Amino acid sequence: MNQVIVLGISAGITLAIQLTGFLVAYAFQTEVFYDILGGLNYLALAIFSAVVGDSSVDPWSSDSRKIACVSIFAASRSWLLIFLAWRAYDRGGDSRFDEVKSKFFEFSAFWIGQAFWVVLISMPMIFVNSSSVNKPNFSAVDWISIILFGLAVLLAIVADIQKAAWVKRGRKGTFCRDGVWAYSRHPNYFGEILQWWACWVFAFSSGEGFSDVQWWFSILSPLFTMNILLNTKATGIPQANGASLKRYYNKCPEEYAEYRASTSILIPM
């Protein structure tokens, strides 16, 4: 099946999943399965694009490029599903929806936004899975990008676990400096950004070279991630560097100011 058609069907599947989820959530006035449905949507697209990318001539199971990309993608999105679902349960809900879940259009905007998020992030993976290009031998760039993809996913997972463990221990020291948090103030966001740049670069060999328009189009995956985490006030670094800082400056202004001055905001170093 043509790659553009696979992407279009993937978008349709995603919209159907998210709008159905919204209608059920609005009817029951709950956001409890919002993150879960987002995670499951990613995995549904991985399975769908793998199925339509399979053929008797070029079976998916014998394509190491597709297997490597989808395996790391699935690990990344499975962790996101588990972590966000656990966090929502641990916090007794998601405060983002407290004021909007009774408002039809405002609540629906979150679900439509999640649909865009899922499709855009998944684009390089869908591109690889639906490709008819068979290059079993990895180039140096392929090896570097797929290794970075895996390491970035691992970094994000480790950062999330270390931060969650620190919170469970009672937030000792007021702000987290455990593990990778000693080298970056936002290592989880760096891991999230790096993995989609690496995935996009890895997808290059599944296309027709630099003239492949759909490969260039899939750059929206890392660009969208960067915009959400670096420029959107409601989430990511802008949120963390906004009102969230007040508690640190109230409790330990000098210590936190030293930490900010000596620790990278994003790239661990």
Side-chain angles (χ1 to χ4, degrees), residues 130-205:
S130 58
S131 173
S132 59
V133 176
N134 190 348
K135 295 180 182 178
N137 296 321
F138 285 18
S139 68
V141 172
D142 291 333
W143 279 113
I144 292 170
S145 57
I146 199 66
I147 290 171
L148 282 177
F149 189 14
L151 289 176
V153 172
L154 182 62
L155 173 61
I157 292 174
V158 168
D160 286 338
I161 292 174
Q162 289 176 338
K163 183 69 172 286
W166 171 78
V167 170
K168 282 297 184 181
R169 290 196 300 270
R171 298 178 180 270
K172 184 178 179 180
T174 307
F175 59 91
C176 184
R177 300 191 71 168
D178 292 358
V180 295
W181 295 86
Y183 306 99
S184 168
R185 304 204 305 271
H186 304 287
N188 51 339
Y189 296 153
F190 176 72
E192 186 72 16
I193 291 170
L194 177 59
Q195 62 183 280
W196 303 121
W197 278 112
C199 186
W200 177 69
V201 172
F202 181 75
F204 175 78
S205 293

Side-chain angles (χ1 to χ4, degrees), residues 59-73 128-129:
W60 186 93
S61 59
S62 66
D63 193 321
S64 57
R65 190 175 302 278
K66 294 179 180 180
I67 292 172
C69 183
V70 172
S71 296
I72 299 176
F73 178 90
V128 172
N129 245 359

Side-chain angles (χ1 to χ4, degrees), residues 55-263:
S55 70
S56 58
V57 177
D58 183 22
W60 186 93
S61 59
S62 66
D63 193 321
S64 57
R65 190 175 302 278
K66 294 179 180 180
I67 292 172
C69 183
V70 172
S71 296
I72 299 176
F73 178 90
S76 169
R77 300 302 86 182
S78 294
W79 168 253
L80 182 71
L81 188 162
I82 293 168
F83 180 72
L84 292 181
W86 168 81
R87 189 174 67 177
Y89 172 80
D90 190 59
R91 294 176 177 179
D94 193 328
S95 60
R96 291 177 297 172
F97 301 100
D98 290 346
E99 302 297 324
V100 302
K101 61 186 177 184
S102 62
K103 302 172 183 177
F104 185 91
F105 292 107
E106 291 185 38
F107 194 28
S108 68
F110 279 88
W111 293 85
I112 294 171
Q114 180 160 257
F116 275 99
W117 181 42
V118 170
V119 173
L120 291 176
I121 294 298
S122 303
M123 285 176 69
M125 179 277 299
I126 294 171
F127 182 80
V128 172
N129 245 359
S130 58
S131 173
S132 59
V133 176
N134 190 348
K135 295 180 182 178
N137 296 321
F138 285 18
S139 68
V141 172
D142 291 333
W143 279 113
I144 292 170
S145 57
I146 199 66
I147 290 171
L148 282 177
F149 189 14
L151 289 176
V153 172
L154 182 62
L155 173 61
I157 292 174
V158 168
D160 286 338
I161 292 174
Q162 289 176 338
K163 183 69 172 286
W166 171 78
V167 170
K168 282 297 184 181
R169 290 196 300 270
R171 298 178 180 270
K172 184 178 179 180
T174 307
F175 59 91
C176 184
R177 300 191 71 168
D178 292 358
V180 295
W181 295 86
Y183 306 99
S184 168
R185 304 204 305 271
H186 304 287
N188 51 339
Y189 296 153
F190 176 72
E192 186 72 16
I193 291 170
L194 177 59
Q195 62 183 280
W196 303 121
W197 278 112
C199 186
W200 177 69
V201 172
F202 181 75
F204 175 78
S205 293
S206 293
E208 302 296 336
F210 287 105
S211 63
D212 196 311
V213 175
Q214 190 171 340
W215 176 73
W216 281 109
F217 190 52
S218 66
I219 199 175
L220 288 173
S221 173
L223 290 178
F224 178 78
T225 303
M226 290 183 69
N227 183 60
I228 288 292
L229 297 180
L230 302 182
N231 301 318
T232 305
K233 292 182 178 180
T235 187
I237 290 178
Q239 181 189 48
N241 284 351
S244 299
L245 292 185
K246 184 178 180 180
R247 64 181 182 269
Y248 300 138
Y249 283 113
N250 285 343
K251 294 182 179 180
C252 52
E254 294 182 3
E255 185 181 0
Y256 189 69
E258 186 278 328
Y259 172 66
R260 280 175 61 86
S262 62
T263 308

